[in-house]
Amino acid sequence: MKHTDIKNIFANCADYIGKQTVVCGWVKTSRNSKNVAFVELNDGTCFKNLQVVIDKEKFDAKVENAFPVGTAVKAEGVIAESAGNVCEMSLVSYKILGESPLDYPLQKKRHSLEFLRTMPHLRVRTNTFLNVQRVRSVLAYATHLYFQQNGFAYINAPLITASDCEGAGEAFTVTTRAWNDTAKSEEEYYAEDFFGKRASLSVSGQLEGEVAAMALGKVYTFGPSFRAENSNTTRHVAEFWHVEPEVAFAELDDIIETVEDYVKFIVKYVLDNCPEEIAFFEKFYEAGLTAKLKNVVESDFVVLDYAEAIKLLQQSGAEFVFKPVWGEELQTEHERYITEQIYKKPVFVTNYPKDIKAFYMKQNADGKTVAATDLLVPGVGEIVGCSEREADYNKLADAMTKRGMNIDAYSYYLDLRKYGSVPHSGFGLGFDRMVMYVTGMSNIRDVILYPRASKEIR
Ligand code: 4AD
């Protein structure tokens, strides 16, 4: 079906003026006056709609009711300059590709996000979701661009695994066995299963990323991770997209620099390439969004020691539901206070107590903390989990034993510390949370085409 993307017409308006052109798209709005009708068409390629002007005298009477909202149309006409130096089309002929009867659910200009969540197959046609998906795509492109330009190799970690990277017991089991309760033990049950032992969907590609980094030096994965987390929050889903770089010959300070550089790069890329979408989110979802994003690009992120963060919280005089105490996880309310009240920008909290963090993190000389950091941002909280990895065989084996892990199952991982071990570091960025941060959307379910969470699947 030969036609021109509406984006190209707006990008090269002067070249199209006076030319007969064909576009395809869906009707966003239409209005009638006595002699003329106006139809706004959008084909998804850009933010703007193309206004199609219909001189009713040149068509039969049917034209008046031919363009209800949601109708799919092929329109041919002459491009003309309209007010404000934008192009519009003067209609010569049209073909209705798909009618949209009056029970089309998206009739109103604005629907609530809750209502739209009930129809993921249609909500992507609304301005909000169209813009979210476009920004998401640009962020994904910018991610590849950043790592490719900086010498990282893109690797694909397996999605089905026998390891639990985070050790939090949140992995979904992968099985082909029908239910039965005849097995005497879990081991016996899974021995009869497809893989001969328990397998699950990966919660993180990090362990395999480390394997690859020990040969390729700098690598990154960009794919889905799965977590059977029951926390029904606005920041958690069961299937999320994860950017996981892993860098050999890098200590914690080095990887913190990379995280900051990468986050600034992708935010700047969106500011430069999606100005209309960002203006839309600023208008409807987060006042001050553009200034916030510019501030991310232009100012230095804060680096704050965990012990210092606890002190600041304790001395803040703020009323918290959970008291901030050294040795405990920072709760969302604490993270928000640090980024939203104290610093008002992204903050790396570093050197967490080792007992609340994963087994693979490098143990600091103080014997109490690990060389780890979380990047917290206003409005969303944690978007990056990051650490230098324990490169010492004995210390790593010791940490695994203390956590009751099956050392034999992770012998491949320990081998990395046996053969040519080097200091190395990496991080995981929650891509969906990054989309939330950049668009100002406050619920992760609204930045994912088909969100999956506990008791939520379509
Ligand atoms: O902090 P996490 O658990 O770190 C890891 O998985 C490391 N193995 C990453 C690494 O070093 N390669 O997760 C990393 C990020 C979090 O900061 C968060 O942004 C996101 O992944 N995340 C989730 N996003 C949405 N829904 C969930 N259930 C998420 N769990 C983690």
Side-chain angles (χ1 to χ4, degrees):
M1 200 173 266
K2 265 218 166 322
H3 66 281
T4 303
D5 287 348
I6 291 176
K7 180 182 183 159
N8 290 345
I9 299 177
F10 285 125
N12 309 290
C13 216
D15 296 347
Y16 282 92
I17 286 172
K19 295 211 175 104
Q20 188 127 338
T21 308
V22 178
V23 296
C24 293
W26 293 270
V27 175
K28 287 287 169 182
T29 58
S30 59
R31 67 196 156 89
N32 263 305
S33 65
K34 197 158 169 266
N35 302 320
V36 198
F38 299 94
V39 174
E40 297 268 321
L41 275 192
N42 190 289
D43 66 357
T45 57
C46 66
F47 179 84
K48 277 201 213 82
N49 302 325
L50 181 69
Q51 175 161 275
V52 178
V53 184
I54 305 166
D55 179 351
K56 291 204 263 184
E57 280 182 4
K58 295 188 182 155
F59 296 87
D60 61 28
K62 271 195 319 200
V63 78
E64 178 140 342
N65 300 313
F67 303 102
V69 178
T71 305
V73 184
K74 182 178 175 192
E76 183 157 4
V78 179
I79 301 296
E81 196 172 344
S82 70
N85 276 339
V86 278
C87 294
E88 61 181 24
M89 173 183 273
S90 171
L91 192 68
V92 172
S93 67
Y94 70 93
K95 185 174 175 204
I96 300 298
L97 300 173
E99 288 180 0
S100 179
L102 289 177
D103 62 354
Y104 179 56
L106 307 176
Q107 298 287 349
K108 277 202 305 189
K109 253 202 151 169
R110 283 199 89 178
H111 296 274
S112 76
L113 295 173
E114 289 77 12
F115 170 74
L116 293 172
R117 269 177 226 142
T118 65
M119 49 187 74
H121 64 301
L122 294 178
R123 70 173 181 173
V124 67
R125 302 179 188 196
T126 62
N127 286 340
T128 296
F129 290 90
L130 203 52
N131 290 334
V132 164
Q133 290 302 327
R134 241 193 319 265
V135 169
R136 192 178 166 109
S137 168
V138 170
L139 275 172
Y141 179 68
T143 291
H144 283 294
L145 205 58
Y146 178 83
F147 290 112
Q148 296 289 333
Q149 281 177 354
N150 285 284
F152 285 68
Y154 174 47
I155 57 151
N156 305 122
L159 297 186
I160 299 176
T161 176
S163 313
D164 180 359
C165 174
E166 293 306 304
E170 289 168 340
F172 287 100
T173 301
V174 174
T175 180
T176 52
R177 275 204 85 181
W179 182 83
N180 77 60
D181 60 358
T182 52
K184 290 192 190 66
S185 65
E186 193 179 296
E187 209 176 12
E188 194 183 298
Y189 179 82
Y190 288 116
E192 297 298 315
D193 207 344
F194 187 87
F195 293 105
K197 58 166 139 171
R198 188 175 171 220
S200 55
L201 292 178
S202 179
V203 298
S204 160
Q206 175 193 326
L207 304 188
E208 295 83 3
E210 286 185 58
V211 168
M214 289 303 116
L216 288 153
K218 296 197 277 189
V219 301
Y220 71 106
T221 70
F222 184 11
S225 286
F226 306 88
R227 295 191 188 180
E229 269 177 301
N230 257 331
S231 37
N232 185 18
T233 77
T234 53
R235 316 181 302 148
H236 290 89
V237 274
E239 178 180 313
F240 67 97
W241 277 68
H242 213 169
V243 179
E244 294 193 276
E246 198 63 40
V247 187
F249 317 111
E251 294 167 334
L252 186 65
D253 289 348
D254 304 310
I255 199 75
I256 284 180
E257 256 179 48
T258 303
V259 176
E260 183 165 342
D261 198 40
Y262 160 59
V263 169
K264 285 182 164 163
F265 179 88
I266 56 175
V267 169
K268 180 164 186 327
Y269 198 85
V270 168
L271 279 170
D272 291 347
N273 290 280
C274 305
E276 288 162 319
E277 286 82 356
I278 295 301
F280 170 89
F281 290 117
E282 165 118 31
K283 182 166 173 202
F284 294 108
Y285 291 98
E286 185 177 337
L289 178 66
T290 314
K292 175 187 93 174
L293 297 178
K294 282 193 176 147
N295 188 38
V296 166
V297 175
E298 284 158 15
S299 69
D300 291 337
F301 295 3
V302 176
V303 180
L304 176 71
D305 199 87
Y306 165 88
E308 188 58 29
I310 294 291
K311 249 193 249 161
L312 285 177
L313 291 166
Q314 287 170 339
Q315 291 163 0
S316 67
E319 292 271 331
F320 295 114
V321 178
F322 294 91
K323 259 176 99 179
V325 181
W326 198 99
E328 305 274 331
E329 294 273 12
L330 288 182
Q331 301 293 326
T332 306
E333 56 178 342
H334 305 143
E335 296 177 349
R336 294 190 68 159
Y337 192 85
I338 292 168
T339 49
E340 291 168 23
Q341 304 298 326
I342 307 183
Y343 294 105
K344 300 183 174 39
K345 61 174 167 170
V347 179
F348 287 105
V349 177
T350 59
N351 301 317
Y352 284 83
K354 66 177 183 191
D355 292 340
I356 58 169
K357 286 290 183 188
F359 71 94
Y360 52 73
M361 296 180 175
K362 183 183 162 64
Q363 297 159 41
N364 285 331
D366 63 11
K368 294 190 298 194
T369 60
V370 282
T373 187
D374 285 349
L375 177 63
L376 315 177
V377 296
V380 179
E382 181 199 326
I383 53 167
V384 169
C386 170
S387 66
E388 182 171 344
R389 317 309 190 188
E390 183 53 76
D392 180 278
Y393 187 102
N394 291 327
K395 284 187 183 165
L396 180 61
D398 189 45
M400 293 167 83
T401 310
K402 284 201 175 113
R403 282 169 169 81
M405 293 170 66
N406 177 353
I407 298 268
D408 286 344
Y410 291 85
S411 61
Y412 77 93
Y413 190 65
L414 280 161
D415 271 358
L416 304 182
R417 280 69 182 169
K418 197 164 156 192
Y419 307 116
S421 184
V422 298
H424 63 288
S425 302
F427 67 90
L429 172 126
F431 187 69
D432 316 275
R433 291 189 187 174
M434 191 68 210
V435 180
M436 289 171 74
Y437 184 56
V438 169
T439 57
M441 299 301 290
S442 55
N443 192 321
I444 196 165
R445 288 162 185 75
D446 298 330
V447 299
I448 299 174
L449 202 54
Y450 271 81
R452 272 81 176 84
S454 171
K455 308 283 186 294
E456 280 182 53
I457 193 153
R458 276 166 193 276

